[in-house]
Amino acid sequence: MRVAALISGGVDSAVTVHRLVEQGEDVHLFYIRIGLDIDEGDCAAEEDIEMCQLIAHKYHLPLEVVSLHEEYWEHVMEYALRTVREGRTPNPDMMCNRIIKFGYFEERWGHEFDITATGHYATTDEIDGVKYLATAVDPVKDQTDFLAQITYDQLNHITFPIGNLPKDEVRRIAAEVHMPNAYRKDSQGICFLGQINYNDFIARHLGTKKGPIIEIETGRKLGEHNGFWFHTIGQRKGLGLSGGPWYVVKKNVHDNVVYVSGGYDTTRQYGHELHLQEMHFISGNPWEGATLPVSIMFKNRHTPVFMPGKLSRNGDDWLIESEKPVQGIAPGQFAVIYDERAHLCYGSGVITV
């Protein structure tokens, strides 16, 4: 089988390549290059490409560096910056997967191959002839919440060779076969942008504007911020306040005010209802014609913890009623919907309140 393998220079995609070669697949490596928003060069990308070249040489495989710079900035970062400017919380990694990795890449290069492989921690399952996105063996590394906006056609052309391995095993394999990046640190940055400073990045595009930080219960001014767009609901770190912990619980976009509440047990940072718009089901609505509400598991942020709740319709929108209090429900976030076993990932919707 001819496989297009997306590699990043990290250990996960390297072991993905190793497993494909072990299986005897005809593998062609691709590195998607995205330029930064500054003219200082991209040292991280050069290092990544060099690592990819070493892997290609190790397995005698072709490597192609392809650019989707304009598409990335026009679609993914424009969405992210617009969402932040509106006072909401974006998920650029989720949009990057749908639009760039499995969108433009597939249209221009991936479609020439039988399937596209990535180093995502996810699996797939087939039930009654329908393919579903499913969670990884390693719950801590599971990345289905970053994949919950892909389409069914995209899912049908993807394979996740390391989704059935725990991260420790991936590292062990990399060391055993002497991968050049076996001990390389995992990337924690925004999709494709790597280890950039998030606040510096936002400041370059949205600027700064001083505004008050107000204790919501008393109206007392506790400090100042550089713009509401640097802060998100549920945030605790980076506020520069003493006597905490303090959590961001509300933002006034019009007046550039950030409201906080103090203490680990403040009820103002929790809620039980998540109202969703733009619901997207990857493999079709599994509850079409069923009596609602239905029991589900869900996430509203990247975490190994799945939350139990009930899903129902709310007019044209959807509603999750969580069994447990949910911390930091932020408009703009995606709520990702799973079955009761937290095995099948059905899709996601955008949180409105």
Side-chain angles (χ1 to χ4, degrees), residues 172-286:
R172 188 197 66 76
I173 292 171
E176 184 180 82
V177 301
H178 306 293
M179 283 290 185
N181 56 5
Y183 302 103
R184 195 180 188 199
K185 188 177 178 181
D186 290 343
S187 173
Q188 299 296 322
I190 299 172
C191 180
F192 284 126
L193 294 187
Q195 304 298 325
I196 65 169
N197 182 289
Y198 179 77
N199 282 348
D200 290 347
F201 172 78
I202 293 297
R204 283 199 300 274
H205 290 274
L206 301 183
T208 61
K209 183 180 179 181
K210 291 289 185 182
I213 301 176
I214 303 294
E215 184 176 23
I216 195 166
E217 291 88 352
T218 65
R220 179 168 58 110
K221 181 179 176 180
L222 302 177
E224 287 189 329
H225 59 82
N226 290 318
F228 70 81
W229 43 91
F230 291 102
H231 303 286
T232 186
I233 303 298
Q235 176 183 340
R236 179 168 69 90
K237 297 181 180 179
L239 292 168
L241 301 176
S242 60
W246 297 97
Y247 290 87
V248 176
V249 294
K250 184 180 177 181
K251 294 188 289 184
N252 182 326
V253 174
H254 182 268
D255 296 324
N256 193 30
V257 180
V258 171
Y259 293 94
V260 298
S261 185
Y264 287 108
D265 58 350
T266 173
T267 57
R268 289 183 179 270
Q269 63 160 314
Y270 294 97
H272 282 84
E273 293 188 350
L274 293 81
H275 297 263
L276 311 181
Q277 293 181 339
E278 303 173 39
M279 181 67 84
H280 169 72
F281 291 110
I282 301 170
S283 304
N285 181 355

Side-chain angles (χ1 to χ4, degrees), residues 88-99:
R88 301 182 296 132
T89 302
N91 190 325
D93 292 288
M94 185 178 280
M95 302 310 289
C96 179
N97 283 324
R98 174 169 176 155
I99 297 172

Side-chain angles (χ1 to χ4, degrees), residues 105-214:
F105 174 80
E106 284 295 312
E107 292 173 11
R108 297 180 188 175
W109 297 281
H111 72 277
E112 298 178 359
F113 294 81
D114 296 313
I115 202 160
T116 296
T118 77
H120 284 100
Y121 284 87
T123 60
T124 60
D125 202 350
E126 188 169 314
I127 301 173
D128 296 329
V130 178
K131 187 175 182 179
Y132 289 92
L133 178 66
T135 50
V137 165
D138 190 332
V140 174
K141 298 301 295 183
D142 178 71
Q143 292 175 305
T144 51
D145 50 327
F146 292 140
L147 295 163
Q149 277 283 305
I150 63 173
T151 68
Y152 189 66
D153 285 344
Q154 290 171 342
L155 179 65
N156 269 324
H157 204 253
I158 305 171
T159 184
F160 307 111
I162 64 168
N164 61 349
L165 296 177
K167 179 71 179 199
D168 289 349
E169 178 67 5
V170 169
R171 287 282 186 193
R172 188 197 66 76
I173 292 171
E176 184 180 82
V177 301
H178 306 293
M179 283 290 185
N181 56 5
Y183 302 103
R184 195 180 188 199
K185 188 177 178 181
D186 290 343
S187 173
Q188 299 296 322
I190 299 172
C191 180
F192 284 126
L193 294 187
Q195 304 298 325
I196 65 169
N197 182 289
Y198 179 77
N199 282 348
D200 290 347
F201 172 78
I202 293 297
R204 283 199 300 274
H205 290 274
L206 301 183
T208 61
K209 183 180 179 181
K210 291 289 185 182
I213 301 176
I214 303 294

Side-chain angles (χ1 to χ4, degrees), residues 290-308:
T291 301
L292 301 176
V294 291
S295 296
I296 61 164
M297 302 294 280
F298 72 94
K299 294 182 182 182
N300 68 312
R301 60 182 69 244
H302 185 56
T303 167
V305 179
F306 296 86
M307 301 284 284

